[in-house]
Amino acid sequence: MISVHGLKKHFRVHKRPPGLKAAVASLFSREYTTVKAVDGISFDIRPGERVGFLGPNGAGKTTTLKILSGLLYPSEGDVRVDGHLPQAREEAFLKKVMLVMGQKQQLLWDLPPAETFELNRAVYDVPREQFRKTLEELTQLLELGDLVNKPTRQLSLGERMKCELAAALIHRPKVLFLDEPTIGLDVSMQMVMRDFIKRYNEETGATLILTSHYMDDVAALCPRVVVIDKGQLSYDGSLDALVQRVRPEKRVVLHLGGPVERQQLESLGQVVSLEAGKAVLQVPQAGLSQALSRALAGLPVTDLNVENAPLEEVVSELFSRSRAAREAEAQA
Amino acid sequence: MSVRGTVRALPALFKVGFAEAVAYRAELFVWVLSTTMPLVMYVLWSAVAREAPVGRYGDREFLAYFLAAFIVRQLTSNWAAWQMNFEVRQGILSMRLLRPLTPVVSWAVETLAYMPMRLLVIVPPVVTWLAVLGGAFLPRTVAGWGLFALGAAGGWLLVFTINVCVGTLSLFMKSSLKLMDAYLAATFVFSGYLIPVELFPDRLRAVVEWLPFRYTIGLPVELLTSHHGTAEAARLVAVQWGFCALFGVLGLLLWRRGIRNFEAYGG
């Protein structure tokens, strides 16, 4: 469905120090620098897959999505989406894809979302009957109710995002690019959005690429993740495998019925945190059963959980390792 | 988007554009007030003409000319260049580019959707014209009215294609608003908006004939005030549509080239 090979996007950026002197000097002579937003990444995505793009700010995730949706021309490389060259922006291609950006909206600001829905129906040439049915489904699933008849500017952020998603799906795109779709939403609204996105993927078989800084979004939606850092691919595979690779240790959460010494815990594994009634340990996979037996035998344990390390920590460690590797490479 | 698809989408685009025009009615009213310059110019020129006619222009001729200038300005003006600059700088153009409809069509329709509101605005000058001047100066033949209609449509299209050219430059220069300001300044001087082109010195007039400005306002005004015979009017309208084609092709080339530079800021 999506194939990306050797993709590069470089921007030429005007560099100017602050201050009046620099402002005047820039009138006569300008210094430019090349920013390598995306620097040679390759991956393939099968139809119906849900893939999460992870990376720190400025990693190149959004730039990649903009290239895939035809907004940006790549500097180099070959990109195909369902057989189309995105930058050619053919009508057939644009009718198959949609990019939803959490920080940009397509809803008409001063008019109710219903007007944008109708506009999209006309522009995407959706038959009336199909439009009515799709809108009914979207209204029900996203609990839009009367929101669609209020001016967009009077909607809350969460309400607006629900309508934004509905507007994006009026033409039932086969490929959906979601760039931070839950940004700024409260926890319950994030869950509504996640459930809806997953359901859309399962019911329509649409291919889905998601970027989000909320790891819960990625964990809930994306069995596969692609990690991009400084424009380069640093991981492509399953989320579970990523966790196993970066943090193979397990987290053991002990709920304690009485006080324990830190030294007692350190003999079981690395102490992540210790507070009244609760301790969190990091234990290698191989020594897990032994550590659990010893904990149950020697400590006042009332309850325990075994978990993977939080995804935020896994990703953060992956980025640190990538940076360290690059710095070492640069020094060599 | 295919021509058929675009045509099918037009009613919805008009409807949304009109709904936006109504939503911004206070802003529209303020904008209308800012376009009353021809009425100010009439007061100034009629004071000059009180002593002696200026060329063939006496008080009644100036009144007809500047009422016509007010009407034509309402019919032909648009703001696509400002809209394009804003959307390029804010990255909003991204959302338009995602739709299977060329943004140029959307900008054109959005401008035209304001027309019903503008037609309301031209009612007072039309009533003034009929009350004070009766049918004087107006075209007396179907051909005359037809050429005025073509000239007014051509005026709108010329202003729009120039706007597209200047607006598209923002894809190369990050902002082309200063260029638009310079274009507007030249328009005020050379288009016949403030001074009938006929009153320019001969040499300047000869130059103005070869520039696009007078075809945006001056020519439709001259057609509405029956300034030319049918043959000359038809020749001038042909020149005007030639300019439309020229700027249309230039705008298309600039757009195709410029869109490769779009950096889709934000998000």
Side-chain angles (χ1 to χ4, degrees):
Chain A
M1 174 59 82
I2 297 174
S3 75
V4 173
H5 294 286
L7 176 64
K8 288 185 183 178
K9 180 65 187 177
H10 296 177
F11 293 102
R12 190 165 169 258
V13 180
H14 171 210
K15 207 169 126 189
R16 201 202 79 182
L20 184 63
K21 197 178 155 193
V24 174
S26 77
L27 281 175
F28 302 99
S29 167
R30 292 197 167 190
E31 200 183 323
Y32 288 92
T33 176
T34 300
V35 175
K36 296 176 177 179
V38 178
D39 198 24
I41 64 173
S42 303
F43 57 85
D44 289 285
I45 294 175
R46 292 186 306 278
E49 256 195 296
R50 295 194 304 264
V51 180
F53 273 16
L54 298 178
N57 289 330
K61 309 180 296 289
T62 302
T63 302
T64 306
L65 286 194
K66 285 176 178 171
I67 293 171
L68 290 175
S69 54
L71 293 180
L72 293 176
Y73 274 68
S75 306
E76 261 182 53
D78 184 52
V79 179
R80 302 277 160 172
V81 177
D82 201 20
H84 298 275
L85 205 60
Q87 67 266 31
R89 303 186 58 254
E90 296 158 359
E91 184 180 344
F93 166 75
L94 293 171
K95 283 184 173 177
K96 282 180 191 169
V97 305
M98 181 43 86
L99 168 65
V100 177
M101 290 189 269
Q103 301 189 66
K104 284 267 180 291
Q105 62 171 47
Q106 66 160 317
L107 294 174
L108 299 157
W109 186 246
D110 289 296
L111 303 180
E115 297 278 10
T116 307
F117 299 162
E118 175 58 26
L119 179 66
N120 281 5
R121 183 204 63 74
V123 168
Y124 286 97
D125 200 15
V126 180
R128 286 245 175 231
E129 186 50 33
Q130 187 191 320
F131 171 70
R132 193 191 55 73
K133 206 175 145 206
T134 305
L135 196 55
E136 253 176 38
E137 280 174 29
L138 292 170
T139 304
Q140 197 187 354
L141 289 172
L142 287 165
E143 296 168 14
L144 298 180
D146 217 23
L147 297 179
V148 298
N149 296 317
K150 280 191 203 171
T152 301
R153 62 169 182 264
Q154 289 177 352
L155 301 178
S156 70
L157 177 62
E159 291 170 339
R160 220 159 58 222
M161 269 318 293
K162 287 202 291 186
C163 294
E164 194 68 43
L165 202 53
L169 300 179
I170 290 289
H171 64 292
R172 294 194 167 265
K174 279 173 75 178
V175 184
L176 192 55
F177 303 114
L178 299 161
D179 186 25
E180 305 278 357
T182 57
I183 195 161
L185 303 185
D186 64 38
V187 178
S188 66
M189 193 60 76
Q190 285 178 23
M191 284 175 69
V192 169
M193 296 291 269
R194 273 179 220 138
D195 289 346
F196 175 76
I197 290 165
K198 195 170 181 181
R199 191 164 166 176
Y200 180 78
N201 161 264
E202 286 168 354
E203 286 182 1
T204 64
T207 308
L208 201 146
I209 300 184
L210 167 88
T211 79
S212 179
H213 284 112
Y214 298 124
M215 290 305 142
D216 288 346
D217 286 351
V218 179
L221 288 170
C222 305
R224 175 182 166 193
V225 292
V226 170
V227 182
I228 302 174
D229 193 10
K230 299 279 179 198
Q232 293 178 342
L233 201 88
S234 55
Y235 177 81
D236 181 359
S238 78
L239 192 56
D240 292 339
L242 174 67
V243 175
Q244 287 304 314
R245 192 175 99 174
V246 179
R247 279 281 176 87
E249 303 90 355
K250 290 283 180 185
R251 284 286 163 95
V252 178
V253 183
L254 301 173
H255 295 272
L256 303 164
V260 293
E261 292 295 319
R262 192 177 183 90
Q263 284 166 331
Q264 286 178 279
L265 295 169
E266 280 173 348
S267 68
L268 301 173
Q270 186 191 335
V271 180
V272 177
S273 68
L274 172 60
E275 55 194 71
K278 188 181 172 190
V280 180
L281 305 177
Q282 191 158 291
V283 180
Q285 180 90 44
L288 183 63
S289 52
Q290 194 191 356
L292 290 178
S293 311
R294 285 175 58 203
L296 288 169
L299 298 174
V301 176
T302 55
D303 194 8
L304 68 80
N305 295 325
V306 179
E307 305 167 347
N308 282 324
L311 201 50
E312 283 84 354
E313 280 186 31
V314 173
V315 172
S316 171
E317 185 160 333
L318 182 70
F319 297 160
S320 307
R321 287 185 195 175
S322 300
R323 264 192 296 277
R326 265 200 310 276
E327 279 165 19
E329 205 175 296
Q331 278 172 359
Chain B
M1 194 177 194
S2 66
V3 177
R4 226 176 101 227
T6 303
V7 170
R8 268 209 301 264
L10 284 181
L13 285 167
F14 267 108
K15 200 177 139 228
V16 164
F18 181 70
E20 283 196 311
V22 174
Y24 295 129
R25 61 190 190 277
E27 192 188 28
L28 184 73
F29 178 69
V30 173
W31 183 84
V32 166
L33 287 181
S34 74
T35 61
T36 52
M37 185 56 89
L39 306 181
V40 176
M41 294 314 293
Y42 161 67
V43 173
L44 293 175
W45 281 107
S46 68
V48 174
R50 209 167 295 143
E51 311 247 325
V54 183
R56 66 176 183 86
Y57 286 86
D59 182 58
R60 283 167 59 83
E61 285 78 9
F62 273 127
L63 180 61
Y65 186 90
F66 285 112
L67 284 175
F70 181 88
I71 292 166
V72 166
R73 179 87 202 277
Q74 296 301 328
L75 295 177
T76 61
S77 68
N78 64 68
W79 55 91
W82 283 273
Q83 190 70 24
M84 290 166 82
N85 267 275
F86 176 73
E87 293 187 9
V88 168
R89 285 164 66 91
Q90 299 291 319
I92 301 167
L93 180 58
S94 298
M95 303 319 292
R96 286 199 198 263
L97 288 171
L98 287 171
R99 290 186 172 136
L101 176 73
T102 172
V104 177
V105 171
S106 301
W107 288 315
V109 174
E110 279 167 24
T111 313
L112 287 170
Y114 274 70
M115 208 55 92
M117 301 287 278
R118 285 161 177 242
L119 289 176
L120 284 179
V121 171
I122 65 173
V123 169
V126 169
V127 170
T128 306
W129 186 313
L130 294 175
V132 179
L133 303 170
F137 305 107
L138 291 173
R140 299 208 171 276
T141 61
V142 174
W145 280 109
L147 283 166
F148 166 68
L150 266 178
W156 180 88
L157 188 60
L158 184 53
V159 176
F160 180 72
T161 50
I162 291 172
N163 264 260
V164 169
C165 290
V166 177
T168 305
L169 289 177
S170 63
L171 290 163
F172 299 90
M173 305 158 61
K174 313 296 178 213
S175 170
S176 59
L177 285 178
K178 294 296 168 203
L179 196 63
M180 196 60 204
D181 288 346
Y183 160 76
L184 266 188
T187 294
F188 284 147
V189 176
F190 298 120
S191 69
Y193 185 56
L194 304 179
I195 310 161
V197 172
E198 191 187 344
L199 299 182
F200 284 7
D202 287 345
R203 281 189 183 174
L204 184 57
R205 218 169 96 186
V207 173
V208 168
E209 293 281 331
W210 290 95
L211 297 174
F213 308 105
R214 72 88 54 110
Y215 299 95
T216 60
I217 294 178
L219 177 64
V221 168
E222 291 157 20
L223 296 171
L224 186 58
T225 53
S226 309
H227 185 61
H228 303 288
T230 304
E232 176 62 1
R235 184 189 72 80
L236 288 168
V237 168
V239 174
Q240 180 197 47
W241 280 83
F243 269 117
C244 292
L246 180 70
F247 282 101
V249 170
L250 185 62
L252 190 67
L253 294 174
L254 285 170
W255 173 259
R256 282 192 180 162
R257 185 77 201 147
I259 207 64
R260 300 173 77 99
N261 294 338
F262 181 51
E263 294 187 1
Y265 304 119

